[in-house]
Amino acid sequence: MNKLLIKNATLVNEGRIYASDVLIEGERIARIAPDIQAPDAVVIDAAGRHLIPGMIDDQVHFREPGLTHKGTIASESRAAVAGGTTSFMEMPNVNPQTTTLDALEAKYQIAANSSAANYSFYLGATNDNLEEIKKLDPKQSCGIKIFMGASTGNMLVDNQETLAAIFRESPVMIVTHCEDTPTIKVLEDEARAKWGEDVPMREHGRIRSADACYKSSSLAVSLAKQYGAKLHVLHLTTAKELSLFTATPDLKDLKDKNITAEVCVHHLFFNEADYDTLGSQIKCNPAVKSAADQHALLDAVRNDVLDIIATDHAPHTWEEKQNSYFKAPSGVPLVQHSLLALLELYHNGVFSLETIVKKTSHAVAERFQVQDRGYIREGYFADLVLLDLGKPYVVNDSNLLYLCGWSPFNGYRFHSTVEMTLVNGQIAWQNGQVTNEVLGKRLTFTR
């Protein structure tokens, strides 16, 4: 059994910042205390650095199977651990779609053979797979994903009877992408009439409007209330939608709360002014919107109206992103720099370190009932991240790990560095080097 002793660390955990040592034996944390002595352990001197639980990202698109020219579980999980994300929950819009239990287990097998980070996968809802959803074991998947907009074919669940049945029958929490497609279509037609195919990227937030988001998210909330369903609304982008949710300051209340909401890093970091410099690089669905919306989202994180921060990591090739407005796909690669971006908000006085850890680790573990992860606790898996808050990190082509090979942060100088990431007690990332080993394990749930 390998033993690691992290000495002289500053822990950020469960609302506290304090000095401690951490002893790891095998996959788990064995002891947390000052001045631990373990002569047979490998010692990591963490003096001057902060130790936090690894980020659990509840929303990523790693593109495998079927879209592996954009990303793979192997490539994107390594980008994730380089950025301090130790566990991820991945989406079903791949090829073939993850809309059957067989397809779900096939993805678990891919991850078991390739992932550097811990993993779970959503079962996707369609207009015609209710019976498959009803057969799902609650311990088998992180949740059911419903695209209530911004999808194509049978993964756009727009049949009202089907939606009602899924909310009534789902054996696990439902997570939703909420945008009203008919509303967006009207605005797309108006934009095309004005600009043709050369619609400016800055129009994206107006086309995928606040009204389109609210119409869909309010429907999801009303269905959850009607049927008593567990609902988690993904990637909130507007001030208007925040009125649908209530604050949950106490983490222990998240497990039993019926309706929660999430925000993504890019909607906290960027606003519509950034389209002029980044263009399609920040084109995503739902869209980056106004500075007023951005500030409302930041306030909602601080006030515990928004429960979780995630990424919606969604890589596309650089060539695909160079197309005109209607042809450039929506999605942003984020997992390698999401934690660094949040730490910029810490340096700017927007968030505390305790808030960042709460929203990216503790709250995800509580809401999804993830077993033995998301905290620095004795007996828990050693999914840990060592941060140097005073060491700058500049993003460039040479240190990008995404298969797509680009980032909206390229050239950005972050104030902090992810120095080391441990996954299940093993070093997955250290001093700019990522592991080739398969360190990830299937997430388990206390349901």
Side-chain angles (χ1 to χ4, degrees):
M1 180 184 295
N2 67 298
K3 288 187 179 182
L4 289 176
L5 177 57
I6 302 175
K7 296 285 293 182
N8 308 312
T10 300
L11 274 60
V12 185
N13 186 54
E14 304 197 56
R16 297 174 55 215
I17 299 177
Y18 58 99
S20 186
D21 297 347
V22 177
L23 177 64
I24 300 161
E25 295 182 355
E27 299 177 343
R28 296 182 182 256
I29 297 168
R31 193 176 173 208
I32 304 167
D35 197 26
I36 297 173
Q37 301 300 314
D40 56 343
V42 175
V43 176
I44 298 168
D45 187 357
R49 274 73 58 85
H50 287 72
L51 188 71
I52 67 171
M55 183 172 175
I56 306 172
D57 195 337
D58 76 359
Q59 187 188 180
V60 302
H61 301 262
F62 281 0
R63 305 304 190 193
E64 190 173 8
L67 303 169
T68 52
H69 65 290
K70 301 174 188 279
T72 66
I73 290 172
S75 66
E76 307 312 282
S77 68
R78 280 161 181 79
V81 297
T85 292
T86 54
S87 300
F88 63 85
M89 302 176 191
E90 207 263 353
M91 289 297 167
N93 53 333
V94 287
N95 187 18
Q97 297 169 340
T98 319
T99 55
T100 67
L101 299 184
D102 286 345
L104 179 65
E105 288 304 320
K107 284 177 77 171
Y108 278 116
Q109 190 57 55
I110 294 170
N113 293 328
S114 65
S115 185
N118 306 307
Y119 48 85
S120 189
F121 298 98
Y122 290 95
L123 181 66
T126 72
N127 282 316
D128 54 14
N129 75 335
L130 177 61
E131 292 306 312
E132 200 77 357
I133 289 171
K134 288 162 65 175
K135 290 189 292 185
L136 180 69
D137 183 332
K139 294 181 180 291
Q140 191 176 2
S141 171
C142 41
I144 298 295
K145 171 64 180 290
I146 305 180
F147 287 93
M148 295 176 65
S151 192
T152 57
N154 66 345
M155 286 207 80
L156 173 57
V157 183
D158 52 4
N159 182 296
Q160 295 304 306
E161 290 183 4
T162 301
L163 274 176
I166 294 171
F167 274 83
R168 185 176 64 246
E169 303 284 353
S170 177
V172 294
M173 184 164 64
I174 296 165
V175 305
T176 53
H177 178 131
C178 288
E179 291 182 286
D180 183 67
T181 299
T183 301
I184 293 168
K185 181 66 167 59
V186 170
L187 295 171
E188 284 180 338
D189 290 345
E190 290 177 0
R192 187 177 270 111
K194 183 174 183 179
W195 284 289
E197 292 301 307
D198 296 320
V199 175
M201 291 295 171
R202 65 177 177 272
E203 292 297 310
H204 191 53
R206 286 184 272 279
I207 292 171
R208 305 194 80 93
S209 67
D211 286 343
C213 292
Y214 183 84
K215 185 174 182 180
S216 183
S217 54
S218 60
L219 173 61
V221 168
S222 68
L223 286 168
K225 289 180 177 179
Q226 181 177 353
Y227 296 107
K230 296 283 189 182
L231 170 67
H232 183 55
V233 182
L234 302 173
H235 43 43
L236 267 285
T237 61
T238 72
K240 185 174 184 178
E241 291 170 284
L242 296 172
S243 64
L244 298 169
F245 305 96
T246 57
T248 314
D250 196 329
L251 281 167
K252 71 176 184 293
D253 295 332
L254 279 181
K255 181 180 70 173
D256 298 319
K257 190 177 182 184
N258 270 12
I259 300 170
T260 54
E262 167 205 284
V263 66
C264 287
V265 170
H266 47 305
H267 297 122
L268 297 172
F269 198 89
F270 299 112
N271 63 51
E272 64 184 358
D274 295 300
Y275 286 113
D276 290 338
T277 54
L278 293 171
S280 65
Q281 292 184 63
I282 58 167
K283 184 190 178 199
C284 56
N285 299 335
V288 170
K289 293 187 173 68
S290 70
D293 286 309
Q294 177 191 27
H295 292 147
L297 296 172
L298 293 168
D299 284 341
V301 171
R302 286 190 293 260
N303 296 331
D304 292 312
V305 173
L306 290 171
D307 304 287
I308 287 170
I309 301 175
T311 68
D312 196 16
H313 171 84
H316 297 283
T317 68
W318 182 253
E319 291 73 25
E320 289 168 331
K321 277 289 194 176
Q322 301 317 297
N323 284 305
S324 59
Y325 176 76
F326 288 107
K327 294 181 180 178
S330 293
V332 185
L334 285 163
V335 289
Q336 192 175 344
H337 308 109
S338 53
L339 184 54
L340 293 180
L342 294 175
L343 291 171
E344 288 298 281
L345 298 176
Y346 158 73
H347 284 291
N348 292 335
V350 177
F351 293 151
S352 67
L353 294 176
E354 298 96 317
T355 293
I356 292 171
V357 168
K358 178 181 180 181
K359 301 297 182 179
T360 61
S361 297
H362 301 339
V364 195
E366 294 296 339
R367 182 56 173 148
F368 286 83
Q369 296 171 266
V370 179
Q371 186 172 21
D372 293 350
R373 301 187 192 275
Y375 294 89
I376 305 177
R377 289 176 177 170
E378 292 178 358
Y380 272 50
F381 288 101
D383 297 337
L384 303 170
V385 180
L386 194 60
L387 301 170
D388 190 333
L389 299 180
K391 182 180 179 180
Y393 181 89
V394 179
V395 181
N396 56 55
D397 288 344
S398 68
N399 56 32
L400 284 174
L401 295 179
Y402 306 130
L403 187 62
C404 68
W406 67 272
S407 165
F409 292 112
N410 208 344
Y412 194 92
R413 183 181 186 271
F414 289 107
H415 286 82
S416 307
T417 294
V418 176
E419 186 172 288
M420 179 185 294
T421 303
L422 299 178
V423 177
N424 298 310
Q426 301 290 318
I427 296 174
W429 167 261
Q430 184 178 26
N431 298 327
Q433 299 298 313
V434 71
T435 185
N436 289 321
E437 295 184 46
V438 178
L439 301 179
K441 291 183 175 295
R442 183 168 177 163
L443 294 178
T444 56
F445 304 97
T446 57
R447 299 170 179 167

